[in-house]
Amino acid sequence: MTKPFDKKPLTHKEQVNLLRNRGMIISEEHRHLLQHLNYYRLSAYWKPFETDKESHQLQSGVNFLSVLARYNFDCELRLHLFNAVSHIEISFRANFAYQMSINHGPHAHLDESLWRSEDIGKQNLCELQTCVKRSHEAYIKHFQNTYKEPLPPIWALCEVIPMGLLSKLYDNLATVTTRRALAAVYSADDKELSSWLHNLNVVRNICAHHMRLWDRTLSVPLAIPKKPPPSLRDTLSKTQNKIYNTLVIALYLMDRIDSKHQWRTQLLHLIRRYKDIPLTQMGFRDDWNEKRIWQNDQKD
């Protein structure tokens, strides 16, 4: 049964005192951080230290600096992962536009015979139309003022739609040969690639909106390959809804896109700098750093 919300807002000084009463070691100078980071945002990073979920009492000796380290690690992890997802997104846009146009023509997105689900296809088409209406890109305006087709060609359209819609277009694609041709670019199975894109889009949005990532339970699990390539063999965690598997798949896709990327090295450096951050809460395997994909010289 619900009840009226009766909690009162606290000043920054009162927030510091409340944390001290709950057992945290925190100085007055940290009041400045509470002002700019928000008590409620930071609370997610000290919850693992709580000994009682009702009173929110903390373990003895918990230092605000330890909480801040987790927060800073999470910030850097989000930026790093967002960078990879951006590269993957741009690559998939290019290859989706190419395969669709080469195999089905410049306006393949208007061909209802290519949809697996008519209802989803119509919904996707409405979203495409909305994206075009909202776009201020010069090339979109040029198309609308020059040609009679209701939407631009797929190679132009792919540059103004969000990653989530791109993922849905691929997932609803009925033509197996085109789906597999796209997946082959990334040495992946088409159904697994569809799952990966969905997962990466969810994570992308988490990163873009500055939400907690490091110990989050993701709403969209990531499909584990039934016949994994060598670099993924025995690498993914059975805990499918934690960020570790997303990091592995992001790295696997980055290896397919740019063999000279530094993303792996930079991620390993980030993990080493924050060596006190518990990786198990991110779904990392105990033997994760022994796996082939984390070695700089790995190749399939």
Side-chain angles (χ1 to χ4, degrees):
M1 186 174 180
T2 59
K3 61 180 181 179
F5 186 83
D6 59 359
K7 293 184 179 180
K8 297 180 180 179
L10 302 177
T11 65
H12 297 120
K13 183 175 179 60
E14 289 172 330
Q15 291 172 14
V16 170
N17 290 335
L18 177 61
L19 289 173
R20 284 175 176 165
N21 290 335
R22 290 176 174 174
M24 184 177 290
I25 300 171
I26 180 171
S27 66
E28 285 297 322
E29 66 185 50
H30 294 141
R31 195 195 309 179
H32 176 78
L33 293 172
L34 290 173
Q35 177 184 355
H36 291 283
L37 297 180
N38 189 352
Y39 179 101
Y40 194 73
R41 169 181 288 273
L42 287 174
S43 67
Y45 299 91
W46 63 65
K47 280 191 179 299
F49 294 109
E50 289 183 350
T51 57
D52 184 88
K53 300 302 179 183
E54 294 296 324
S55 66
H56 303 292
Q57 285 298 122
L58 299 165
Q59 300 169 15
S60 176
V62 174
N63 195 305
F64 183 79
L65 293 177
S66 298
V67 174
L68 191 62
R70 293 188 177 196
Y71 173 79
N72 288 333
F73 170 77
D74 195 29
C75 289
E76 293 190 48
L77 180 65
R78 285 198 307 268
L79 289 172
H80 191 66
L81 186 50
F82 188 84
N83 177 268
V85 176
S86 296
H87 280 83
I88 295 165
E89 177 182 351
I90 291 170
S91 169
F92 189 76
R93 287 178 188 274
N95 284 290
F96 184 83
Y98 178 81
Q99 292 292 340
M100 290 293 284
S101 61
I102 289 295
N103 294 317
H104 308 290
H107 288 87
H109 46 291
L110 299 176
D111 186 351
E112 296 182 16
S113 69
L114 299 179
W115 301 346
R116 292 171 59 190
S117 164
E118 183 178 351
D119 290 340
I120 294 175
K122 288 179 178 179
Q123 182 180 345
N124 290 344
L125 186 58
C126 287
E127 290 188 46
L128 289 173
Q129 292 167 338
T130 299
C131 289
V132 169
K133 287 179 182 178
R134 291 177 177 174
S135 176
H136 297 289
E137 294 289 346
Y139 58 86
I140 296 295
K141 300 300 180 185
H142 169 74
F143 176 88
Q144 292 173 322
N145 295 331
T146 308
Y147 302 102
K148 65 179 182 180
E149 282 79 6
L151 288 172
I154 189 68
W155 54 78
L157 197 61
C158 276
E159 295 304 317
V160 297
I161 62 177
M163 183 178 177
L165 179 53
L166 192 65
S167 172
K168 288 191 286 185
L169 289 171
Y170 179 66
D171 188 59
N172 197 43
L173 188 59
T175 309
V176 175
T177 53
T178 304
R179 286 174 59 91
R180 289 178 177 173
L182 257 166
V185 174
Y186 305 100
S187 303
D189 171 86
D190 63 302
K191 292 181 181 178
E192 291 161 358
L193 179 61
S194 185
S195 166
W196 297 353
L197 291 171
H198 191 185
N199 177 274
L200 287 169
N201 180 60
V202 169
V203 170
R204 177 204 175 280
N205 291 337
I206 290 171
C207 295
H209 293 92
H210 318 294
M211 295 186 286
R212 190 184 80 261
L213 184 66
W214 77 280
D215 68 340
R216 178 180 288 273
T217 299
L218 299 172
S219 59
V220 179
L222 192 146
I224 295 178
K226 294 179 181 179
K227 296 180 180 180
S231 63
L232 287 182
R233 200 163 295 152
D234 299 323
T235 299
L236 293 166
S237 170
K238 293 181 180 179
T239 309
Q240 293 175 261
N241 55 0
K242 289 293 186 178
I243 201 62
Y244 170 74
N245 280 358
T246 303
L247 292 171
V248 170
I249 292 302
L251 177 54
Y252 176 77
L253 294 174
M254 286 290 286
D255 285 340
R256 313 274 89 63
I257 295 168
D258 178 10
S259 61
K260 297 181 180 180
H261 74 84
Q262 295 298 309
W263 196 80
R264 174 190 291 100
T265 301
Q266 292 163 356
L267 178 58
L268 293 172
H269 180 64
L270 173 62
I271 292 172
R272 282 194 294 268
R273 281 199 296 115
Y274 289 93
K275 59 183 183 296
D276 294 330
I277 303 297
L279 298 180
T280 52
Q281 289 175 266
M282 299 167 62
F284 273 66
R285 301 167 53 115
D286 292 338
D287 60 349
W288 69 272
N289 56 351
E290 300 173 8
K291 299 303 177 181
R292 180 174 179 176
I293 198 168
W294 297 107
Q295 310 307 314
N296 284 320
D297 59 350
Q298 73 83 34
K299 290 182 181 179
D300 277 342

